[in-house]
Amino acid sequence: MLARVAATRLGMLDHRLPTLGSRALLRFANMPVKPRSLFHTSAVTRTTDWQNMTATEQAATFDPTLPGRVLGPWQKFTGFMSFYKEGIKALWANRTQYRSIKQQIRNDEEISRAEFQIYTRYPNDRLRMIPFAVLVVLAPELIYLIVLLMPGFCPSTCMTYRAMTKGARRHDKLKQKLHLQALDRIRNAGLSTSDFVDEAALTKAVQAGNSVFSLDQMSRTNLALMYRFFGIGPLSMVLPTSWLRASVQRRLEYIRTDDALLGSEQLISGLGLVELFRACQERGIPAADLPEYQLRLALYNWVRLSQRQMPDNAVPIAWSRLVLLNRSVKLANSPV
């Protein structure tokens, strides 16, 4: 992946936070990506402007499990049916937009973060669309149970906030075990937790050239640790090393591009709860039991560190999340 960042600095939409990000022109898998500051990607935006919301954003407003909604049994049932119907409609709208985005890529045109998210999510959603739609028609009363037991069956536009938090809670328990393993791994590599506690210490540790910070030199056990930490998939212990390395590399490239777009489009303060939750989960940030303001600050700290100090290597930041887990790397001039 190639990245070229201009020198123009942009401030956050939320002016209580320090300046973050630059307007950027990136390439993700030979795909030109340009930030558009007015194009928000959040599944639930912090806006009521229906006309300017994407199909995914509009569908997410029907989610009956969003915090603060108190519904009776019948209201819940009709709410779920409305949400799933709108989710399928949004998925169909994304299908049309996905074709347009592919054409833009062929023409070497720039795309926004919203389009980047559709481009990366839709291929998997497309495989789930038909069986999920059949289930909605034939056995709607079973959908909620199936989504809880098999979240991979559900397209992203039809995933409720409650199902997301339940899955995140299970993954956060796994992260506690991975955290203990990570502590042993860094000790074996000659590092300590003090090398991760703040921005200066982490930068110094990376500059020392330790092999744990290089994906190409990373051992199979550490690759499996990263694979599970990011929640990429199951069966990490039986997959070949080349598969693990390629999977982690793809996830890191995706995160690096998304970090640059989040920072340069000034989106963090404008992300809605669902999209904010997704962004934290993708980066391995424990999200299930954190309030919204802590999720926003954790994502802000990740993106700021990524863009300011380590735009070409997210591996050290991932290690810092594993080693510190429920804490953040202390940033210079941090708002907290």
Side-chain angles (χ1 to χ4, degrees):
M1 176 167 63
L2 305 176
R4 181 160 55 85
V5 181
T8 305
R9 303 291 294 179
L10 296 176
M12 298 293 291
L13 290 179
D14 185 344
H15 296 293
R16 292 172 297 177
L17 300 179
T19 301
L20 168 69
S22 302
R23 190 167 295 279
L25 177 61
L26 306 169
R27 285 186 178 273
F28 179 85
N30 299 320
M31 172 174 53
V33 182
K34 179 182 178 182
R36 297 178 186 169
S37 58
L38 299 181
F39 203 147
H40 288 247
T41 317
S42 50
V44 182
T45 53
R46 302 173 82 185
T47 177
T48 57
D49 188 356
W50 184 268
Q51 295 300 321
N52 289 327
M53 293 170 68
T54 66
T56 302
E57 294 164 0
Q58 293 175 0
T61 61
F62 289 84
D63 188 351
T65 68
L66 288 173
R69 294 190 174 176
V70 181
L71 305 174
W74 177 249
Q75 290 175 313
K76 284 184 180 179
F77 178 78
T78 56
F80 277 116
M81 291 301 99
S82 297
F83 173 68
Y84 293 134
K85 182 185 74 173
E86 295 297 325
I88 293 173
K89 287 170 58 178
L91 190 55
W92 192 258
N94 288 348
R95 172 178 174 269
T96 303
Q97 194 165 1
Y98 178 77
R99 292 177 175 177
S100 175
I101 295 168
K102 287 187 68 175
Q103 187 60 46
Q104 289 177 259
I105 294 169
R106 292 192 190 100
N107 297 337
D108 203 37
E109 298 176 10
E110 297 158 349
I111 66 173
S112 70
R113 181 182 186 262
E115 293 163 329
F116 174 64
Q117 290 295 321
I118 291 174
Y119 186 82
T120 54
R121 290 177 188 172
Y122 178 75
N124 288 330
D125 286 343
R126 176 175 53 193
L127 300 177
R128 303 167 181 144
M129 178 169 60
I130 294 178
F132 187 81
V134 171
L135 183 63
V136 169
V137 174
L138 298 182
E141 66 279 359
L142 298 179
I143 294 177
Y144 183 68
L145 179 61
I146 291 176
V147 170
L148 287 179
L149 296 177
M150 297 183 296
F153 178 80
C154 184
S156 63
T157 56
C158 299
M159 181 69 70
T160 65
Y161 179 73
R162 182 179 298 168
M164 288 173 58
T165 55
K166 285 183 178 293
R169 195 166 285 115
R170 289 193 297 268
H171 194 210
D172 287 352
K173 290 180 180 179
L174 172 62
K175 289 174 190 171
Q176 295 290 342
K177 299 178 181 178
L178 299 178
H179 165 65
L180 298 178
Q181 295 177 26
L183 293 177
D184 290 336
R185 305 281 170 78
I186 65 166
R187 291 191 195 101
N188 294 337
L191 299 169
S192 67
T193 54
S194 62
D195 293 314
F196 298 87
V197 294
D198 58 43
E199 182 180 345
L202 182 58
T203 303
K204 183 178 179 181
V206 174
Q207 291 173 346
N210 197 302
S211 62
V212 298
F213 297 125
S214 172
L215 193 64
D216 293 334
Q217 302 177 41
M218 193 176 291
S219 66
R220 175 185 170 78
T221 53
N222 287 341
L223 285 171
L225 188 69
M226 289 288 174
Y227 186 88
R228 299 176 69 195
F229 172 69
F230 284 122
I232 298 174
L235 307 176
S236 61
M237 300 310 296
V238 299
L239 293 174
T241 302
S242 58
W243 183 291
L244 293 175
R245 197 182 309 277
S247 298
V248 174
Q249 178 66 34
R250 283 194 298 269
R251 174 58 64 90
L252 291 177
E253 286 186 353
Y254 162 80
I255 290 174
R256 182 169 60 172
T257 303
D258 200 43
D259 284 347
L261 290 170
L262 281 170
S264 58
E265 290 192 39
Q266 311 175 59
L267 284 178
I268 296 177
S269 60
L271 288 180
L273 179 60
V274 173
E275 189 65 19
L276 175 66
F277 192 92
R278 275 201 182 107
C280 289
Q281 279 293 102
E282 289 170 345
R283 289 159 177 80
I285 299 172
D289 297 308
L290 291 180
E292 182 178 343
Y293 80 92
Q294 287 189 2
L295 291 176
R296 205 172 299 279
L297 185 58
L299 180 60
Y300 167 81
N301 284 340
W302 173 294
V303 172
R304 186 173 175 222
L305 182 61
S306 166
Q307 293 303 288
R308 189 168 66 178
Q309 294 293 339
M310 301 167 190
D312 298 323
N313 185 11
V315 175
I317 311 177
W319 273 111
S320 74
R321 291 262 32 121
L322 266 166
V323 172
L324 302 178
L325 196 60
N326 297 315
R327 295 179 290 162
S328 297
V329 178
K330 295 180 181 178
L331 301 175
N333 303 316
S334 176
V336 294

